């Protein structure tokens, strides 16, 4: 028995190898997201009907709310609470569907939109990487303000699901964040 195109057999092997590596990376990311407690929600976002999302001008968004108060510089986790939170955001972003809109709100004693909703995850990665505790003059931790601002970031492009991911050490010096979280 002979093949008319023996090179195709080698190509098939390469395709199988690439598929195996991709599957392994997806399992690793899924396990990481499960440990972060957001895997179910992100899985739901990624399985929404793609055609419906496109018609509704994307329709799906994830807004990250990152605590940049001084307490996030603590090194009780390595390299620090803030660096660990930033890495978690980057890990989550790497597992998102490319059609998901992302945004970034930073907060300490007050909150501000660092990045409005965009589909440019490279810009988000840059802003997350640059975030530090010296970006604000008003220290403290105002979780409710950060969450409220995250709700304001969502706009008419978000016709479907929205997810707000709060990254904080849990210290709070302001209003009760429970009401803002309900938004």
């Amino acid at each position: 028995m002979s093949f008319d195109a023996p090179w195709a057999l080698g190509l098939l092997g390469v395709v199988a190898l690439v598929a195996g590596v991709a599957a392994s990376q997806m399992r690793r990311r899924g396990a990481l997201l499960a440990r972060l407690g957001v895997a179910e929600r992100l899985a739901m976002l990624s399985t929404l009907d793609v055609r419906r999302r496109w018609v509704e001008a994307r329709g799906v968004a994830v807004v990250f709310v990152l605590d940049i108060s001084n307490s996030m510089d603590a090194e009780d986790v390595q390299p620090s609470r803030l660096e660990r939170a930033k890495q978690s955001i980057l890990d989550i972003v790497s597992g998102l569907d490319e059609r998901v809109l992302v945004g970034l709100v930073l907060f300490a004693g007050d909150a501000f939109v660092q990045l409005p909703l965009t589909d440019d995850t490279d810009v988000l990665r840059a802003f997350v990487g640059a975030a530090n505790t010296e970006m604000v003059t008003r220290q403290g931790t105002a979780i409710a303000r950060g969450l409220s601002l995250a709700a304001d970031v969502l706009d008419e492009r978000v016709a479907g699901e929205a997810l707000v991911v709060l990254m904080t050490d849990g210290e709070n010096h302001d209003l009760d964040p429970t009401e803002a979280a309900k938004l």
Side-chain angles (χ1 to χ4, degrees), residues 10 42 44 81 174:
L42 290 175
M44 183 181 72
R81 293 175 187 173
D174 202 21

PDB file of all heavy atoms in Angstrom, residues 10 42 44 81 174:
ATOM      1  N   GLY A  10       2.721  13.208   7.600  1.00  0.00           N
ATOM      2  CA  GLY A  10       3.519  14.025   8.520  1.00  0.00           C
ATOM      3  C   GLY A  10       2.756  15.254   8.976  1.00  0.00           C
ATOM      4  O   GLY A  10       2.807  15.640  10.144  1.00  0.00           O
ATOM      5  N   LEU A  42     -17.576  32.302  33.720  1.00  0.00           N
ATOM      6  CA  LEU A  42     -16.884  32.521  32.457  1.00  0.00           C
ATOM      7  C   LEU A  42     -17.280  31.473  31.418  1.00  0.00           C
ATOM      8  O   LEU A  42     -17.389  31.783  30.232  1.00  0.00           O
ATOM      9  CB  LEU A  42     -15.374  32.518  32.663  1.00  0.00           C
ATOM     10  CG  LEU A  42     -14.829  33.724  33.415  1.00  0.00           C
ATOM     11  CD1 LEU A  42     -13.337  33.553  33.666  1.00  0.00           C
ATOM     12  CD2 LEU A  42     -15.090  35.007  32.664  1.00  0.00           C
ATOM     13  N   MET A  44     -20.181  30.147  31.169  1.00  0.00           N
ATOM     14  CA  MET A  44     -21.479  30.589  30.682  1.00  0.00           C
ATOM     15  C   MET A  44     -21.314  31.711  29.663  1.00  0.00           C
ATOM     16  O   MET A  44     -21.969  31.729  28.632  1.00  0.00           O
ATOM     17  CB  MET A  44     -22.349  31.063  31.840  1.00  0.00           C
ATOM     18  CG  MET A  44     -23.749  31.460  31.406  1.00  0.00           C
ATOM     19  SD  MET A  44     -24.750  32.037  32.783  1.00  0.00           S
ATOM     20  CE  MET A  44     -23.990  33.596  33.104  1.00  0.00           C
ATOM     21  N   ARG A  81       0.208  41.158  47.494  1.00  0.00           N
ATOM     22  CA  ARG A  81      -1.221  41.001  47.225  1.00  0.00           C
ATOM     23  C   ARG A  81      -1.589  41.613  45.870  1.00  0.00           C
ATOM     24  O   ARG A  81      -2.330  41.034  45.096  1.00  0.00           O
ATOM     25  CB  ARG A  81      -2.050  41.664  48.316  1.00  0.00           C
ATOM     26  CG  ARG A  81      -1.943  41.014  49.662  1.00  0.00           C
ATOM     27  CD  ARG A  81      -2.704  41.820  50.707  1.00  0.00           C
ATOM     28  NE  ARG A  81      -2.479  41.297  52.040  1.00  0.00           N
ATOM     29  CZ  ARG A  81      -2.915  41.876  53.136  1.00  0.00           C
ATOM     30  NH1 ARG A  81      -3.610  43.009  53.066  1.00  0.00           N
ATOM     31  NH2 ARG A  81      -2.670  41.345  54.315  1.00  0.00           N
ATOM     32  N   ASP A 174     -15.079  52.348  53.945  1.00  0.00           N
ATOM     33  CA  ASP A 174     -16.091  53.255  53.433  1.00  0.00           C
ATOM     34  C   ASP A 174     -17.463  52.609  53.604  1.00  0.00           C
ATOM     35  O   ASP A 174     -17.674  51.812  54.504  1.00  0.00           O
ATOM     36  CB  ASP A 174     -15.779  53.564  51.958  1.00  0.00           C
ATOM     37  CG  ASP A 174     -16.417  54.856  51.478  1.00  0.00           C
ATOM     38  OD1 ASP A 174     -16.764  55.709  52.308  1.00  0.00           O
ATOM     39  OD2 ASP A 174     -16.571  54.994  50.261  1.00  0.00           O
TER      40      ASP A 174
END
